[in-house]
Amino acid sequence: MPVEPLVCARTATRVSSVLNRDVKQFGKQNLFDGSEETCWNSDQGTSQWVTLDFPQPVKISQLHLQFQGGFSSRLCTLEGCRTGEELVKISELYPQDSHAMQISFPRITMMGFQVEETVLDKLRITFGSSTDFFGRIVVYHLGVLGERL
């Protein structure tokens, strides 16, 4: 099975919040731009999230996340569904509070970070618990890899 990036220009992306509503500096576009200089920075709150609506069904096999240390999530819940269905929980991830790139692999748990291969049209990643006292999340890179169906 080929593993390729699944987020493209036609993938509709939504986020729970943006720090000070400054979408130019901290907006969702920074999740996928490949730059080490930019990031999505959420505003304060206990539950932040990113939702991806793919233009066609995809089979997700890997997730890449790079947080800013001190502004990472202790628990990430992945939910997904096919078009017209309700979101269902796929898995829970327990990332490290680190600036290092964290990569999930199917059927292999590395430091609490594993994604089950799943076919879906919509993916929601909920950052349920932040290491920041105010609940802010900072993500420099989000990669969703797998196969377009």
Side-chain angles (χ1 to χ4, degrees):
M1 171 183 78
V3 175
E4 61 182 312
L6 299 175
V7 177
C8 66
R10 298 180 317 152
T11 303
T13 305
R14 295 184 314 145
V15 293
S16 53
S17 66
V18 175
L19 183 66
N20 300 324
R21 297 185 179 166
D22 187 350
V23 295
K24 184 174 182 179
Q25 186 173 0
F26 300 117
K28 62 188 177 186
Q29 72 278 3
N30 298 329
L31 289 167
F32 313 108
D33 66 2
S35 172
E36 293 290 321
E37 304 292 319
T38 62
C39 62
W40 166 61
N41 193 332
S42 78
D43 217 334
Q44 298 182 57
T46 56
S47 184
Q48 303 295 332
W49 49 262
V50 173
T51 300
L52 304 169
D53 285 300
F54 299 99
Q56 67 190 72
V58 296
K59 184 176 186 178
I60 293 177
S61 59
Q62 289 184 26
L63 184 71
H64 297 193
L65 271 170
Q66 183 179 18
F67 295 99
Q68 178 177 330
F71 295 89
S72 61
S73 180
R74 290 185 182 100
L75 170 65
C76 298
T77 302
L78 272 58
E79 298 172 290
C81 65
R82 301 297 308 265
T83 300
E85 297 177 357
E86 295 291 319
L87 289 168
V88 294
K89 186 162 90 172
I90 298 168
S91 56
E92 291 182 339
L93 308 175
Y94 300 92
Q96 295 179 338
D97 184 13
S98 163
H99 188 71
M101 180 69 73
Q102 298 178 59
I103 301 173
S104 69
F105 295 96
R107 296 176 296 281
I108 300 172
T109 302
M110 295 177 59
M111 294 171 260
F113 209 68
Q114 176 186 1
V115 174
E116 296 296 324
E117 288 188 326
T118 306
V119 175
L120 45 82
D121 295 290
K122 182 176 191 173
L123 174 68
R124 175 174 278 191
I125 305 166
T126 302
F127 305 105
S129 176
S130 175
T131 57
D132 173 55
F133 180 76
F134 297 103
R136 295 168 294 192
I137 298 289
V138 178
V139 178
Y140 280 88
H141 177 76
L142 171 61
V144 182
L145 284 75
E147 178 181 10
R148 289 181 177 90
L149 302 177

